[in-house]
C-alpha cells in the first residue's frame, strides 16, 4: 500500500525562481543567505526518505487558469508538467514527471467523496509548483520523483474556505493511503505566508499571525480550519489566503506527526517565508 511519509511547506515567490540557478553565488549574499539556510534540513530529509511521489497543493497565478475559467480545485492527470512561469530570466528546465495512474485513482476517489474537481490532462505549472520542487529537490533532483499538482484557487474570489481545503486534504490523504501500490508519498503545501502585493496594504506582513499559523499547523490545525477567508485576508493580506494550501497539506497527514524543522524569514520580495518539515509517524 502507499504510505504518507510527511509534509513539506514553503512559500513560493517568482524571485526565488531566478535565484535558484544562482544559489552557489547567493548562499553568502546578505539578502539571500538566511533564505537558503532554511532548505538543507528539508533536502537532507528528502534524501533520507526518498519519496516516490509528491502531491503538491499550490495555486496557479493566472498562467494555466485565468479569470475566464477558474477551477476551485484542479487535479493534474498528465504524464508531465512543463514550467511556463513568467519572466525573471529563468532558465529552461526539464518537465516534471506525472503519475497519470495515481492521478486517476485520486480523481475517482475525490469525486466519489463529492469533491467536484477539475481533472487536467494538460497543465502548465508556474512558480507556485516549480520553485518548491526545485528547492526541495535541487540540481534537477526532482527527476527522481513523480508528481501530482493540485491547484486550489486563490486568485479570484470566491476562494474556498480553509475548512473546505482542510477536508480536501483529508480526502487526498485517504486516497493515498488506500492506493494499492507500494509508494512513499510526500505532500507539499506551497504559498504564503502573509503578503499583499497590491492596493493600500501592499507590502503588508504579519509576523505574529504567521508564527501562530506555523505553531497551530502542528498542534491544532482544526482551529486554523475555522478561520474564514476574510479572516485570512485581514490577518495575512490579500495574497495571504495562499495559506489554504498549507492547510490542505496538513489535512492529508492524519495521526501523529512531528515538526522536524521550522524556519521563518522576512522578507523575500514582499513576503514572509516559512519552511516546515512535518514527519508522519510510521
Ligand atoms: C510574490 C509572488 C507570489 O506568488 C507569492 O506567493 C508571494 C510573493 C512576489 O512576487 O513578491
Ligand atoms: Fe503566490
Amino acid at each position: 500500500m502507499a504510505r504518507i511519509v510527511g509534509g513539506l511547506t514553503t512559500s513560493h515567490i517568482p524571485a526565488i525562481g531566478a535565484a535558484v540557478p544562482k544559489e552557489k553565488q547567493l548562499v553568502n549574499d546578505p539578502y539571500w543567505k538566511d533564505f537558503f539556510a532554511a532548505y538543507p534540513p528539508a533536502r537532507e530529509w528528502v534524501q533520507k526518505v526518498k519519496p516516490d511521489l509528491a502531491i503538491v497543493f499550490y495555486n496557479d497565478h493566472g498562467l494555466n487558469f485565468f479569470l475566464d475559467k477558474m477551477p476551485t480545485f484542479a487535479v493534474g492527470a498528465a504524464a508531465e508538467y512543463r514550467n511556463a512561469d513568467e519572466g525573471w530570466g529563468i532558465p529552461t528546465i526539464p518537465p516534471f514527471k506525472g503519475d497519470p495512474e495515481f492521478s486517476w485513482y485520486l480523481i475517482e476517489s475525490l469525486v466519489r467523496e463529492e469533491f467536484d474537481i477539475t481533472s487536467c490532462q494538460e497543465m502548465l505549472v508556474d512558480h507556485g509548483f516549480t520553485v518548491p520542487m526545485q528547492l526541495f529537490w535541487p540540481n534537477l533532483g526532482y527527476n527522481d520523483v513523480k508528481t501530482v499538482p493540485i491547484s486550489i484557487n486563490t486568485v479570484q474570489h470566491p476562494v474556498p474556505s480553509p475548512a473546505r481545503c482542510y477536508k480536501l486534504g483529508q480526502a487526498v490523504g485517504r486516497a493515498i493511503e488506500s492506493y494499492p501500490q507500494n509508494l512513499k508519498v510526500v505532500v507539499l503545501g506551497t504559498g504564503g505566508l502573509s503578503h499583499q502585493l497590491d492596493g493600500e496594504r501592499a507590502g503588508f506582513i504579519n509576523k505574529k499571525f504567521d508564527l501562530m499559523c506555523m505553531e497551530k499547523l502542528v498542534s491544532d490545525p482544526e482551529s486554523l480550519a475555522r478561520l474564514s477567508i476574510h479572516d485570512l485576508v485581514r490577518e495575512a493580506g490579500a495574497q495571504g489566503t495562499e495559506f489554504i494550501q498549507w492547510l490542505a497539506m496538513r489535512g492529508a497527514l492524519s495521526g501523529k506527526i512531528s515538526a522536524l524543522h521550522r524556519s521563518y524569514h522576512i522578507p523575500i520580495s514582499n513576503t514572509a517565508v516559512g519552511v516546515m518539515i512535518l514527519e508522519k509517524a510510521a
Side-chain angles (χ1 to χ4, degrees), residues 16-84:
I16 304 170
V20 158
K22 298 187 210 126
E23 179 176 340
K24 282 202 175 67
Q25 291 111 279
L26 296 177
V27 278
N28 293 316
D29 180 278
Y31 185 78
W32 287 100
K33 166 158 94 29
D34 292 341
F35 168 76
F36 279 117
Y39 291 90
R43 292 170 178 177
E44 281 156 26
W45 183 81
V46 166
Q47 280 295 311
K48 190 183 79 177
V49 175
K50 294 194 178 19
D52 305 295
L53 175 62
I55 309 295
V56 184
F57 290 104
Y58 77 111
N59 54 283
D60 182 88
H61 296 75
L63 174 87
N64 193 73
F65 310 113
F66 197 55
L67 307 182
D68 58 335
K69 298 178 199 76
M70 184 54 69
T72 300
F73 300 129
V75 180
E80 62 176 38
Y81 302 96
R82 202 159 52 75
N83 174 42

Side-chain angles (χ1 to χ4, degrees), residues 55-281:
I55 309 295
V56 184
F57 290 104
Y58 77 111
N59 54 283
D60 182 88
H61 296 75
L63 174 87
N64 193 73
F65 310 113
F66 197 55
L67 307 182
D68 58 335
K69 298 178 199 76
M70 184 54 69
T72 300
F73 300 129
V75 180
E80 62 176 38
Y81 302 96
R82 202 159 52 75
N83 174 42
D85 203 13
E86 69 284 356
W88 288 89
I90 49 178
T92 307
I93 52 170
F96 298 81
K97 292 196 176 87
D99 186 347
E101 197 180 332
F102 178 79
S103 287
W104 284 111
Y105 181 88
L106 174 64
I107 289 164
E108 288 199 20
S109 176
L110 291 175
V111 172
R112 208 181 311 120
E113 291 208 37
E114 302 179 354
F115 283 91
D116 305 316
I117 52 93
T118 300
S119 55
C120 302
Q121 299 196 59
E122 287 184 0
M123 198 168 175
L124 296 172
V125 286
D126 71 8
H127 66 273
F129 177 91
T130 61
V131 157
M133 289 301 298
Q134 290 178 279
L135 287 168
F136 293 133
W137 285 266
N139 306 315
L140 307 183
Y142 66 73
N143 281 320
D144 298 336
V145 66
K146 291 182 174 181
T147 64
V148 176
I150 304 180
S151 175
I152 304 181
N153 166 37
T154 57
V155 167
Q156 175 167 256
H157 291 281
V159 169
S161 69
R164 186 68 177 153
C165 298
Y166 187 67
K167 284 184 196 153
L168 175 76
Q170 290 175 317
V172 169
R174 285 190 287 274
I176 296 167
E177 291 188 320
S178 64
Y179 190 57
Q181 283 190 31
N182 197 8
L183 296 178
K184 284 181 280 183
V185 183
V186 65
V187 185
L188 273 60
T190 94
L193 285 169
S194 58
H195 64 299
Q196 171 144 346
L197 300 178
D198 53 15
E200 268 177 33
R201 294 200 304 163
F204 176 79
I205 287 180
N206 185 345
K207 180 175 179 178
K208 190 163 168 239
F209 182 76
D210 289 339
L211 293 179
M212 183 281 287
C213 286
M214 289 176 80
E215 166 59 35
K216 296 279 186 195
L217 195 70
V218 182
S219 62
D220 186 13
E222 266 101 23
S223 70
L224 298 173
R226 285 193 292 272
L227 296 171
S228 69
I229 280 295
H230 292 102
D231 292 331
L232 278 182
V233 171
R234 190 178 60 247
E235 299 299 329
Q239 281 72 43
T241 55
E242 290 181 347
F243 185 68
I244 58 180
Q245 320 295 348
W246 291 42
L247 262 179
M249 176 286 296
R250 182 63 177 90
L253 309 181
S254 58
K256 204 166 151 5
I257 58 154
S258 34
L260 301 187
H261 172 83
R262 303 177 214 207
S263 68
Y264 182 80
H265 172 67
I266 301 172
I268 292 296
S269 190
N270 300 299
T271 303
V273 182
V275 180
M276 300 179 79
I277 310 174
L278 304 181
E279 187 173 67
K280 192 163 143 59

